[in-house]
Amino acid sequence: MNTQKVNWWIDAAAFLGFMVSFFTDITGVEIHQWMGIIVGLFILIHFFRHLEWISTVVSKFFGKTSLIAKVNLILDALIGLGFFNILFTGLIISTWLNLTFIDYSFWKNLHVALSVITLFALLFKLILHRKWIISVADKYIFRRTNDASPVVVAGTMSKSTAQSSRREFLKLSAVLGAGAVVGVVNIHKLISDVLTEQTSQNVSSGKLITTAEGQSVIASPSSATFEITETPVPVVQKPSPTEITENSQTSSACSILCHKSCSYPGRCRRYVDTNGNGKCDRGECL
Ligand code: HEM
Ligand code: HEM
């Protein structure tokens, strides 16, 4: 099979697998983990197929090499590093190793943050390679033009070629746009996860109190000062006007940490069922 066509399919499979890895709610953790490993294998194949290009650009990096080749090399190195660390942190939090001594939240948040950063770097890389992606798609994948004609990267085109290239361009833009939306949604999810974890830590350590106006206040015992946070806080106790509720009242605070409402046997490493009702405590108002 044509090399460009093979490369296109490998790149498309790696990208698709990478995007699907962001939807753990749909795939579940087990499939997610295998999917991550398969994406890693595709990237390894992709890497070896470009090894000659890499060694050429590396050997000429400080010599006669175009700026765009240098930019591509640095970007590829960063994306490679990103993937290595995603797989590493993924294994650390995986149900396969089941490491109980780790700070699970920290490693999971790091895993998600690395995934999002790598996603944006990858989208940028795909923008840089848009002409190649579009022309190979146009010529070999969707077969609108004559197979014998060369892959057009730049230069003149017939009217029909220009039209079909435009179609591929719009498709690629839609794919990249969808990728950017997934990235933004995951950043938002990550930030709200971190805030919820902080809030639950403050509630459980008795540091969080709430004012009559419903503002959440973090009492700082060392300096005897109060710091007002803008975090949406799931504290329900309503105190009398002017009064500030004491720590004793926060013990009745209801904090739902997860909205997946998993039931036995649970779909993630954070599943815990101390009251034995077959549902994860993190999704209950305890
Ligand atoms: C899902 C992940 C990735 C996708 C979708 C992807 C996509 C692409 C595309 C479309 C090209 C240009 C066409 C081609 O020759 O294949 C390319 C080139 C290349 N990629 Fe990737 N890539 C990914 C990850 C990586 C990683 C992790 C590395 C490095 C470890 C890497 C290294 C390279 C190299 C060296 C080239 C050729 C030089 C250049 O950047 O122009 N790629 N990639
Ligand atoms: C393609 C690479 C990968 C990407 C883009 C990725 C992305 C993500 C994202 C965005 C989450 C957060 C999901 C959520 O909070 O709803 C997550 C969770 C997780 N990932 Fe990955 N991941 C990848 C590879 C892996 C690998 C290779 C493993 C392990 C072998 C792994 C194990 C996990 C685990 C255990 C969770 C926690 C699930 C949970 O607690 O709900 N990931 N991953």
Side-chain angles (χ1 to χ4, degrees):
M1 211 198 283
N2 180 294
T3 314
Q4 310 244 43
K5 195 173 166 179
V6 174
N7 282 347
W8 196 96
W9 279 115
I10 292 171
D11 299 350
F15 184 72
L16 186 71
F18 183 53
M19 293 314 297
V20 172
S21 302
F22 281 90
F23 296 89
T24 51
D25 286 356
I26 297 172
T27 59
V29 176
E30 193 63 27
I31 294 179
H32 171 80
Q33 294 179 165
W34 281 111
M35 183 73 79
I37 298 295
I38 292 167
V39 170
L41 290 178
F42 270 103
I43 287 172
L44 214 58
I45 297 171
H46 176 76
F47 172 80
F48 282 116
R49 288 180 76 89
H50 291 90
L51 205 53
E52 209 182 309
W53 182 93
I54 295 172
S55 57
T56 309
V57 179
V58 167
S59 64
K60 292 181 181 169
F61 195 81
F62 296 106
K64 238 184 160 188
T65 315
S66 68
L67 181 65
I68 188 71
K70 288 180 188 171
V71 170
N72 279 333
L73 184 73
I74 293 168
L75 193 57
D76 290 336
L78 291 176
I79 294 172
L81 198 69
F83 271 106
F84 178 82
N85 283 304
I86 292 171
L87 296 192
F88 176 72
T89 51
L91 281 172
I92 294 277
I93 59 171
S94 71
T95 52
W96 298 335
L97 297 184
N98 201 17
L99 303 177
T100 46
F101 55 87
I102 54 161
D103 178 348
Y104 183 81
S105 295
F106 168 79
W107 285 99
K108 192 215 144 202
N109 290 340
L110 183 61
H111 179 68
V112 178
L114 284 165
S115 303
V116 174
I117 294 168
T118 307
L119 171 63
F120 281 112
L122 184 62
L123 293 179
F124 182 59
K125 171 186 163 117
L126 296 181
I127 291 173
L128 292 183
H129 287 289
R130 67 193 179 284
K131 284 181 182 163
W132 180 88
I133 298 169
I134 290 167
S135 56
V136 175
D138 201 20
K139 180 171 159 55
Y140 296 115
I141 312 298
F142 302 108
R143 290 189 176 273
R144 283 199 196 87
T145 50
N146 181 5
D147 250 17
S149 62
V151 170
V152 180
V153 171
T156 54
M157 292 178 195
S158 73
K159 203 174 168 189
S160 68
T161 310
Q163 264 174 0
S164 60
S165 289
R166 195 175 144 72
R167 251 195 310 265
E168 303 315 330
F169 173 78
L170 290 175
K171 278 188 207 162
L172 179 66
S173 305
V175 169
L176 298 184
V181 170
V182 169
V184 171
V185 167
N186 274 275
I187 293 176
H188 185 262
K189 220 164 120 186
L190 177 64
I191 292 172
S192 65
D193 268 10
V194 170
L195 291 178
T196 312
E197 276 154 21
Q198 272 177 3
T199 305
S200 72
Q201 270 169 16
N202 290 330
V203 168
S204 60
S205 64
K207 272 166 77 186
L208 191 86
I209 55 181
T210 185
T211 65
E213 290 77 32
Q215 273 176 316
S216 55
V217 176
I218 297 174
S220 162
S222 53
S223 59
T225 56
F226 295 102
E227 181 189 321
I228 295 183
T229 73
E230 289 179 4
T231 315
V233 178
V235 173
V236 288
Q237 198 78 31
K238 185 98 180 161
S240 61
T242 64
E243 184 193 352
I244 291 177
T245 55
E246 295 300 334
N247 289 353
S248 58
Q249 281 178 301
T250 57
S251 61
S252 63
C254 166
S255 172
I256 293 181
L257 300 174
C258 172
H259 293 280
K260 290 182 190 165
S261 305
C262 292
S263 40
Y264 181 84
R267 290 166 60 197
C268 84
R269 284 274 312 279
R270 288 163 294 172
Y271 182 87
V272 54
D273 180 21
T274 49
N275 58 3
N277 69 350
K279 285 186 184 154
C280 180
D281 294 349
R282 294 172 60 85
E284 293 184 83
C285 183
L286 297 175

